[in-house]
Amino acid sequence: MVRILEKYQSKSITPVDDYECTLSDELIKAAKDLLGETSEIRDKCLTEFREWIWNNPRIEKCRMDSKFLLRFLRINRFSMQHAKECFERYLILREGIYGCDWFTNLDLNRSGLQEVLNDGLYVVLPTKAVTGETIVLVRCEASNPSHKDAGNIAFCVSTLVMETVFEEEENQIRGYRLILDMSKVKLSHYFMFSFSTWFRILKHVERTFTGRHISCSIMGLNPATRFISNLIIKNMREKMRRVVSCLSGPQELDFLDTKYLPIDLGGEYTIEQLMEPLKKTLDSWKDLFLRYSEMKINRKYYTDAVLKCDSGTLHHTLENKSAKLLTMYPDENENN
């Protein structure tokens, strides 16, 4: 097996490993019940996934370690067709939004990033939901829209934090819950990107997100931000809309003990206390994060619309020849 895995290494930025299951019996059962995962299905799909990446000329470099690939297999319940599409769109999105470097510059020391981290834009709460999921709190006020690079930094922090959350196999299986605190958000926060860029990002993130989104609780909307948020929710896929709820405040969060929230939301923790473990986790990942910029697609294979992440391209799969999303196919290589 080791010799077979070595074949893929030249295309991977991480060691290509033979998956070793360290899940508890409870998680093994949950994975089977929720995702249809068994050891036989998992091993078969990992092998097929790697072979597809290896033979796909559109993908030049990526992560091919088991835990990373399982994120795409699990979120798509081991449907290879959907996992492959999700994976390739993931790579395109993070290289394809022009003017944005929130995936290709995951440097923890980049200007302004530590300030946003310290202010607690993203917080992983030190408790689980009553049903067992990890809880991520997004304090939208912590992103300063007056900063010249505010949008990129905010999405960079989002990528850094959520990559670490999804790396945990328990989170891949059980899913996670998101809380958005919008109580101090101003209209200027929405103008960190153009609305067309926001729309492209959000529509693609819907398709490439590798976390099982159990719930999204939005708190503190004022009339102006409620209008915009409702417009965004209206344009979400039905699957995403079903998990979104708008709450008046933290007292309506019935899936956790609110004492674990920050003090300004009625909890007992300072932002510094909440951020300390997350910052240690991010620091332990810093070398790999810097290597994310090495993940590359071969841009010549895609149309401009795909590379610009136009939302209309999501209506078809990349392999649908009639949709004309690719400029050439593998069987045409020898002629190009």
Side-chain angles (χ1 to χ4, degrees):
M1 175 60 76
V2 173
R3 186 175 300 172
I4 295 173
L5 294 178
E6 286 178 353
K7 160 186 169 181
Y8 306 114
Q9 193 58 60
S10 63
K11 210 168 188 177
S12 178
I13 68 168
T14 50
V16 183
D17 60 321
D18 188 11
Y19 179 79
E20 181 180 351
C21 183
T22 58
L23 303 175
S24 66
D25 291 343
E26 181 186 2
L27 278 178
I28 290 174
K29 183 179 186 303
K32 183 176 182 180
D33 293 344
L34 296 171
L35 312 175
E37 178 177 341
T38 64
S39 59
E40 292 79 10
I41 289 173
R42 183 176 57 233
D43 292 344
K44 176 180 179 295
C45 287
L46 281 172
T47 299
E48 182 179 340
F49 209 165
R50 286 189 175 117
E51 194 65 16
W52 171 77
I53 293 171
W54 175 253
N55 289 302
N56 188 342
R58 301 188 298 271
I59 300 175
E60 293 187 351
K61 281 278 190 178
C62 62
R63 283 181 63 179
M64 292 177 71
D65 54 280
S66 298
K67 196 178 292 186
F68 186 71
L69 297 183
L70 280 170
R71 284 167 45 176
F72 298 87
L73 291 168
R74 284 169 170 155
I75 193 63
N76 290 286
R77 290 180 169 81
F78 290 87
S79 163
M80 289 306 308
Q81 178 183 352
H82 290 98
K84 292 172 184 176
E85 179 78 10
C86 180
F87 185 82
E88 192 166 356
R89 292 282 191 177
Y90 170 96
L91 296 176
I92 294 169
L93 170 64
R94 284 147 179 79
E95 195 176 318
I97 296 288
Y98 293 132
C100 304
D101 64 353
W102 45 274
F103 188 72
T104 56
N105 184 13
L106 296 177
D107 186 350
L108 286 170
N109 295 317
R110 70 182 288 179
S111 177
L113 191 142
Q114 286 295 326
E115 178 183 351
V116 174
L117 271 178
N118 291 335
D119 288 342
L121 176 61
Y122 272 72
V123 178
V124 179
L125 297 184
T127 188
K128 300 281 189 178
V130 293
T131 44
E133 302 89 9
T134 289
I135 306 169
V136 179
L137 168 67
V138 184
R139 302 171 63 256
C140 300
E141 64 178 282
S143 180
N144 182 1
S146 65
H147 191 287
K148 65 176 182 179
D149 202 26
N152 278 336
I153 292 174
F155 271 103
C156 181
V157 170
S158 173
T159 298
L160 288 166
V161 174
M162 298 314 296
E163 286 288 312
T164 64
V165 170
F166 298 154
E167 194 70 8
E168 295 293 329
E169 289 193 83
E170 181 174 0
N171 295 333
Q172 294 176 11
I173 295 167
R174 293 192 190 280
Y176 78 105
R177 293 180 182 269
L178 188 68
I179 304 172
L180 295 180
D181 178 19
M182 305 280 286
S183 57
K184 298 180 182 177
V185 168
K186 302 175 183 177
L187 286 177
S188 56
H189 283 88
Y190 288 97
F191 290 98
M192 292 190 295
F193 289 121
S194 68
F195 279 107
S196 62
T197 299
W198 274 117
F199 188 76
R200 280 185 292 154
I201 291 173
L202 293 172
K203 295 305 291 183
H204 276 73
V205 166
E206 276 187 327
R207 300 298 181 95
T208 66
F209 220 45
T210 54
R212 295 190 62 240
H213 209 136
I214 304 303
S215 69
C216 176
S217 305
I218 307 175
M219 304 186 305
L221 291 170
N222 60 47
T225 57
R226 181 178 293 275
F227 172 78
I228 297 175
S229 295
N230 285 342
L231 186 62
I232 293 171
I233 294 170
K234 181 180 178 181
N235 282 281
M236 286 180 175
R237 297 164 69 190
E238 174 61 26
K239 180 180 178 180
M240 294 293 289
R241 286 202 303 269
R242 287 199 300 266
V243 303
V244 176
S245 60
C246 295
L247 312 179
S248 60
Q251 69 278 1
E252 295 184 33
L253 296 168
D254 57 3
F255 54 82
L256 81 157
D257 187 337
T258 55
K259 75 177 183 181
Y260 293 102
L261 292 171
I263 292 171
D264 62 349
L265 289 177
E268 299 178 0
Y269 286 77
T270 65
I271 293 299
E272 291 76 14
Q273 289 173 318
L274 291 170
M275 290 305 300
E276 183 178 357
L278 176 58
K279 290 175 69 175
K280 288 181 179 178
T281 300
L282 293 175
D283 188 65
S284 69
W285 270 63
K286 62 183 178 182
D287 291 338
L288 179 58
F289 284 145
L290 289 173
R291 297 204 65 188
Y292 267 45
S293 61
E294 298 175 25
M295 290 203 267
K296 296 290 183 182
I297 56 172
N298 191 330
R299 302 176 71 89
K300 73 178 183 180
Y301 282 94
Y302 305 97
T303 63
D304 285 343
V306 171
L307 291 173
K308 293 177 181 177
C309 295
D310 288 351
S311 57
T313 66
L314 294 172
H315 298 317
H316 306 279
T317 63
L318 292 167
E319 295 291 355
N320 182 348
K321 290 191 176 185
S322 65
K324 298 180 180 179
L325 300 181
L326 302 178
T327 59
M328 60 180 76
Y329 289 83
D331 56 359
E332 299 171 347
N333 283 353
E334 60 185 13
N335 299 318
N336 290 278

